[in-house]
Amino acid sequence: MGLSLEQLTGWLAGVDEFWIQLAATIVKFIVVLLISLHVPPLMVWAERRIPALMQRRKGPNRVGIFRFRLFGLMQPLADTIKLIFKEEVVPDTAHKFFFHLAPVFVIFPALLVITAVPFGHPVTLGGYIFPMSVTRVDVGFLFVLAISSIAVYGISLAGWASNNKYSLLGGLRASAQMISYEIPLGMSLIPIVLIYGTLDLNEIVMQQQNVWGVFLAPISFVLFVVCMFAETNRAPFDMAEGESEIVAGYLTEYGTFKFSAFFLGEYVGMFTLSCLAATFFFGGWQIPFVSYETLVQISGSSLVASLIGMMVLLVKAAFFMWLYIWVRWTLPRFRYDQLMSLGWKFLLPLALANVVITAAVLVALQASRL
Amino acid sequence: MAEVIVFYSIASLLVFCSIMVVTRKNPIASAIYLVGALFLVAAVFAFLGADFVAAIQVLVYAGAIMVLFLFVIMLLNIDPELLKSPPMTAGEAAVLILTILSFIVISVTVFKGQLVAPVGELTTQEIAKNGGNTAVIGLALFMKYVWPFELASFLILLAIVASVVIAKKDKKKLTGDQADAERNMVGDLR
């Protein structure tokens, strides 16, 4: 690093803005990709160590580097190597093309949604403003909902293409469940949009500096968290796998790398939704009562301040990731009909009532101010 | 220049996907290509600066409607033998030739610049001045066109209720085990 920040910004000032933004987007994309791809192995480790703590066991604590055990942190690496080197089996009766295509449909939406998450306040370097999300969409809120609704194809295609009755049942269950819970998920976020009056995710975060969304829309938060579990097919809503009923659901015929691809997709999806929950309800990258300007003054640079914001967001997301594990090892699996009646008969009416009441309160507040 | 390259790559992919939709023998393949085509239409919208319409296009068509299509196709599990099309008749061949000819005529007219679509009152600048896509569409739907909009949603509600009524079986005709099975199956819908 022989280049100082001043030299860098001075050099940046002379180049055409389009190329700078393009380069910045590529850098941001690589950083976000690396972060999201490092989450699944860590989560796999946490998912075995945390329940071990809960159940007073030790959990995987042996695999390390040479003599250093590192709390078993190398276990996911060993697991991955094992998964990749196993023999790949494709069933004879499977629809080959779609069998190979299905895992792509699971990973791609999860990685695409995370590009819209604002990781920090836009950085000003050399007179250019760089937003701290990979893509800056004005309708970020709708973009997030639209792309995450694509994930259902992966699972239903996997179920159908395997040509196995357990897979098909798992796939059908999963797609019915995801379609059903997508509606309350979207509805639960409408009060947030009404309160903050924008669809831009960074703008929503900016307005949560002192009061987090969770205090203004508590019912929305509860609805969102419940639907978050259902959307990622996690316990207590992991009906799609349901190993005690349908072997392993849509994953039955998948092994080796394709199985790990599904695994990766599931955990990246969890990470994405955790980031979104933090963005909508826990103030995103904001530190409560510390404004961005103060942060810039303390750290001395807007880039460092935004990177601190990124860390804050990741810590908040980590809380939700931990919640996923906590719930998984606390609650038993729902029965399928209970899941459907919870979604359609309870969550959907509650979400609708929540929208109407929030809108009414906002109109009343507006009227009282006039 | 960059715009032209992006537009034509999206457009050619879109044409490719659309052709695949109608030529694939396997209905699942057709459905997946249709999803791709809908996505690319959304890309065209986004490219034209209509972010809101693009997002809604993916959310509603690719994310909801096509999933239901796929669902039905998977459940029907059609025998591949039934999907083999009979040889083309003379009439069909004539229609095909006419279609290709009219396609050539239209593309020549468009490329010569003789067919220019009229520009509406909401230009890109006008939209930006009025607070962006979402605000403009929202105001138009809920102020200017509020009655047609509400009527359309009422019509859709009516269609949903009607389809439930048609699909619902008569309870009284079922007896014994059949009634039990039925109750277990649709118990939660009632």
Side-chain angles (χ1 to χ4, degrees):
Chain A
M1 284 294 284
L3 201 69
S4 77
L5 207 62
E6 285 74 39
Q7 274 175 305
L8 188 73
T9 50
W11 179 76
L12 279 177
V15 191
D16 189 33
E17 167 142 30
F18 173 77
W19 296 109
I20 291 179
Q21 290 290 357
L22 187 70
T25 307
I26 292 170
V27 171
K28 283 184 286 188
F29 179 72
I30 292 170
V31 170
V32 169
L33 189 71
L34 284 179
I35 292 176
S36 8
L37 290 184
H38 277 82
V39 165
L42 280 173
M43 272 300 283
V44 170
W45 176 77
E47 190 132 49
R48 298 174 71 179
R49 292 287 292 191
I50 292 176
L53 269 173
M54 287 175 174
Q55 298 165 349
R56 303 197 65 188
R57 301 183 276 114
K58 289 226 188 294
N61 63 353
R62 298 283 146 165
V63 187
I65 304 173
F66 302 113
R67 300 187 56 190
F68 307 103
R69 283 185 185 163
L70 302 172
F71 315 104
L73 256 177
M74 290 294 126
Q75 183 71 44
L77 190 69
D79 287 348
T80 316
I81 292 170
K82 183 200 77 175
L83 270 172
I84 290 173
F85 282 101
K86 287 224 169 176
E87 186 192 353
E88 175 143 13
V89 181
V90 180
D92 252 0
T93 51
H95 302 264
K96 301 278 172 343
F97 178 66
F98 298 106
F99 188 78
H100 295 293
L101 186 70
V104 179
F105 267 109
V106 175
I107 294 188
F108 148 80
L111 282 176
L112 203 57
V113 170
I114 205 144
T115 60
V117 174
F119 280 97
H121 189 280
V123 178
T124 318
L125 270 185
Y128 299 113
I129 297 170
F130 299 102
M132 281 290 276
S133 57
V134 180
T135 52
R136 212 203 123 114
V137 202
D138 289 340
V139 287
F141 168 79
L142 286 171
F143 175 82
V144 163
L145 288 182
I147 303 297
S148 51
S149 68
I150 299 299
V152 63
Y153 285 107
I155 293 176
S156 52
L157 261 186
W160 174 79
S162 304
N163 219 346
N164 169 324
K165 60 186 169 192
Y166 298 117
S167 299
L168 185 64
L169 280 173
L172 287 178
R173 276 181 174 197
S175 28
Q177 173 186 337
M178 284 166 92
I179 297 173
S180 308
Y181 277 77
E182 217 172 85
I183 304 164
L185 183 89
M187 288 276 179
S188 73
L189 291 175
I190 290 179
I192 289 285
V193 174
L194 288 174
I195 290 168
Y196 295 119
T198 176
L199 293 174
D200 188 335
L201 296 184
N202 196 43
E203 193 61 39
I204 290 175
V205 175
M206 296 284 269
Q207 293 189 32
Q208 294 184 53
Q209 194 192 313
N210 293 332
V211 184
W212 284 357
V214 61
F215 300 116
L216 295 177
I219 298 172
S220 291
F221 176 67
V222 174
L223 282 169
F224 185 86
V225 170
V226 172
C227 296
M228 188 167 98
F229 282 89
E231 276 294 293
T232 42
N233 286 312
R234 286 284 297 189
F237 303 122
D238 57 344
M239 235 62 52
E241 286 175 60
E243 70 276 0
S244 51
E245 302 151 27
I246 48 171
V247 190
Y250 64 98
L251 290 171
T252 307
E253 300 288 0
Y254 281 93
T256 70
F257 191 68
K258 280 203 272 298
F259 173 77
S260 26
F262 276 108
F263 220 68
L264 207 66
E266 182 182 324
Y267 281 98
V268 173
M270 280 160 62
F271 176 59
T272 307
L273 275 173
S274 301
C275 286
L276 285 177
T279 303
F280 286 121
F281 297 102
F282 275 29
W285 47 263
Q286 298 259 30
I287 306 170
F289 307 113
V290 180
S291 75
Y292 178 71
E293 284 72 31
T294 336
L295 215 58
V296 173
Q297 270 172 10
I298 295 170
S299 60
S301 143
S302 67
L303 181 65
V304 177
S306 288
L307 288 179
I308 293 172
M310 190 166 173
M311 290 301 138
V312 172
L313 178 70
L314 290 179
V315 168
K316 286 173 181 172
F319 165 74
F320 285 99
M321 302 295 274
W322 172 74
L323 191 71
Y324 267 117
I325 298 175
W326 185 23
V327 169
R328 177 175 172 183
W329 294 93
T330 311
L331 294 178
R333 182 178 298 135
F334 269 54
R335 217 171 59 211
Y336 191 68
D337 58 322
Q338 289 172 335
L339 169 95
M340 280 296 157
S341 60
L342 176 74
W344 289 103
K345 287 181 179 168
F346 181 71
L347 294 182
L348 183 60
L350 187 65
L352 282 170
N354 190 24
V355 171
V356 172
I357 291 168
T358 312
V361 169
L362 283 174
V363 169
L365 279 178
Q366 229 167 30
S368 68
R369 242 178 247 150
L370 291 177
Chain B
M1 191 61 203
E3 281 185 356
V4 175
I5 296 171
V6 173
F7 176 76
Y8 279 106
S9 37
I10 295 174
S12 48
L13 266 175
L14 177 54
V15 170
F16 169 76
C17 278
S18 313
I19 291 173
M20 293 305 260
V21 173
V22 289
T23 52
R24 291 303 89 190
K25 286 279 181 291
N26 188 339
I28 299 268
S30 293
I32 293 295
Y33 278 112
L34 188 52
V35 174
L38 292 169
F39 233 96
L40 289 159
V41 171
V44 173
F45 283 141
F47 184 67
L48 291 172
D51 314 2
F52 183 81
V53 186
I56 293 295
Q57 165 90 10
V58 175
L59 188 62
V60 174
Y61 286 95
I65 293 178
M66 280 316 293
V67 178
L68 294 179
F69 274 38
L70 209 63
F71 227 75
V72 172
I73 299 171
M74 282 177 186
L75 283 177
L76 287 178
N77 210 1
I78 306 159
D79 183 13
E81 286 296 308
L82 290 173
L83 292 168
K84 285 195 179 134
S85 49
M88 199 182 275
T89 60
E92 280 165 357
V95 168
L96 185 68
I97 292 166
L98 272 178
T99 315
I100 292 170
L101 282 178
S102 45
F103 173 74
I104 293 169
V105 171
I106 292 170
S107 16
V108 167
T109 339
V110 170
F111 277 107
K112 275 174 138 181
Q114 287 167 358
L115 196 75
V116 180
V119 178
E121 53 180 303
L122 286 172
T123 53
T124 318
Q125 293 83 14
E126 194 74 12
I127 288 172
K129 210 166 72 189
N130 287 323
N133 269 302
T134 319
V136 170
I137 291 173
L139 285 176
L141 276 185
F142 290 103
M143 305 291 276
K144 198 172 169 190
Y145 300 107
V146 64
W147 288 112
F149 182 73
E150 289 299 324
L151 267 178
S153 56
F154 183 69
L155 204 63
I156 293 170
L157 183 68
L158 213 67
I160 296 171
V161 174
S163 60
V164 170
V165 169
I166 292 169
K168 205 172 168 186
K169 283 185 188 142
D170 200 346
K171 263 185 272 179
K172 284 167 203 160
K173 283 180 190 163
L174 301 169
T175 48
D177 290 349
Q178 209 184 348
D180 283 342
E182 187 71 17
R183 217 170 287 134
N184 286 337
M185 222 168 77
V186 292
D188 278 325
L189 292 175
R190 283 201 283 270

